[in-house]
């Protein structure tokens, strides 16, 4: 005879009773919108990691899930910023950012890359979450297609628009760097206006400087050769053999 099913727990009850493991939780982010978005995220990550290569107290990544459920469940309350930086934390690789495993820390800086499918959320819901829940001090959005760039800084719990410089640059207080568009890409600039470069860009710049120095030396040598030729010609005109002088 079959058993009665009246006391069989519901699927909802079973789900709610599950305690998710406290270990590493993998990121669960959708594919990126385009190659432009992927390349821009990679560029920002590489730049900040290289700029702060001697620091051990930050974490920078992109397109990675942040789990922030007060119930410590990965099925609740999660977002995946395109790029974010957390300060005063251990510099190590992670599968995701789990707030309850990271001393309650949220990102200090977030950059979202706009697209047709995400712009309204990035400018609306996500902005509210980053302001009211994350309390992220610096929030920016950038559109890789039309190069729209806007930034906000948290003041008394509310995001205030960042005023751009005359060149259209936006200051990130948390990074101590400017954000600006250069050659169609979002880049970082130092307080004195220098472009933060990738290691290969630095190498190319150094090589270019060496080549310029060599060119200057060659020009100087050519000028000296021409002067020597003129002097030798004048000596011959005066009846003096330049080869007999030394």
């Amino acid at each position: 005879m079959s058993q009665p099913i009246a006391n069989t727990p519901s699927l909802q009850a079973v789900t709610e009773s599950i305690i998710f493991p406290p270990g590493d939780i993998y990121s669960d982010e959708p594919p990126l919108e385009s190659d432009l978005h992927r390349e821009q995220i990679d560029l920002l990550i590489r730049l900040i990691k290289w700029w702060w290569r001697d620091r051990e107290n930050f974490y920078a990544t992109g397109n990675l899930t942040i789990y922030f459920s007060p119930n410590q469940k990965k099925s609740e309350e999660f977002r995946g910023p395109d790029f974010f930086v957390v300060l005063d934390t251990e510099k190590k690789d992670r599968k995701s950012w789990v707030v309850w495993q990271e001393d309650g820390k949220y990102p200090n800086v977030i950059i979202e890359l706009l697209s047709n499918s995400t712009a309204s959320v990035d400018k609306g819901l996500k902005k509210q979450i980053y302001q009211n829940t994350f309390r992220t001090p610096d929030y920016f959005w950038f559109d890789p297609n039309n190069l729209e760039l806007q930034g906000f800084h948290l003041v008394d719990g509310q995001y205030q628009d960042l005023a751009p410089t005359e060149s259209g640059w936006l200051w990130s207080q948390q990074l101590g760097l400017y954000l600006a568009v250069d050659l169609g890409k979002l880049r970082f600039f130092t307080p004195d206006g220098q472009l933060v470069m990738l290691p290969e860009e630095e190498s190319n710049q150094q090589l270019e400087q060496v080549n310029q120095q060599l060119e200057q030396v060659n020009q100087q040598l050519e000028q000296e050769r021409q002067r020597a030729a003129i002097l030798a010609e004048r000596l011959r005109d005066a009846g003096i053999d330049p080869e007999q002088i030394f």
Side-chain angles (χ1 to χ4, degrees), residues 76-142:
E76 304 174 349
E77 306 295 339
F78 54 89
R79 288 288 166 181
D82 289 323
F83 172 83
F84 67 89
V85 177
V86 184
L87 303 178
D88 299 318
T89 191
E90 185 178 358
K91 184 180 180 181
K92 65 177 184 179
D93 292 336
R94 292 167 170 86
K95 299 173 183 176
S96 57
W97 184 267
V98 185
V99 169
W100 59 86
Q101 296 177 3
E102 302 284 355
D103 300 323
K105 288 183 177 293
Y106 287 89
N108 295 75
V109 179
I110 290 176
I111 301 175
E112 291 286 7
L113 302 183
L114 304 182
S115 66
N116 292 335
S117 62
T118 66
S120 61
V121 175
D122 293 334
K123 295 181 177 182
L125 177 61
K126 280 190 175 182
K127 183 184 176 187
Q128 291 301 312
I129 292 174
Y130 299 157
Q131 171 186 275
N132 299 332
T133 302
F134 284 24
R135 300 291 184 182
T136 294
D138 290 347
Y139 174 48
F140 301 86
W141 65 57
F142 174 66

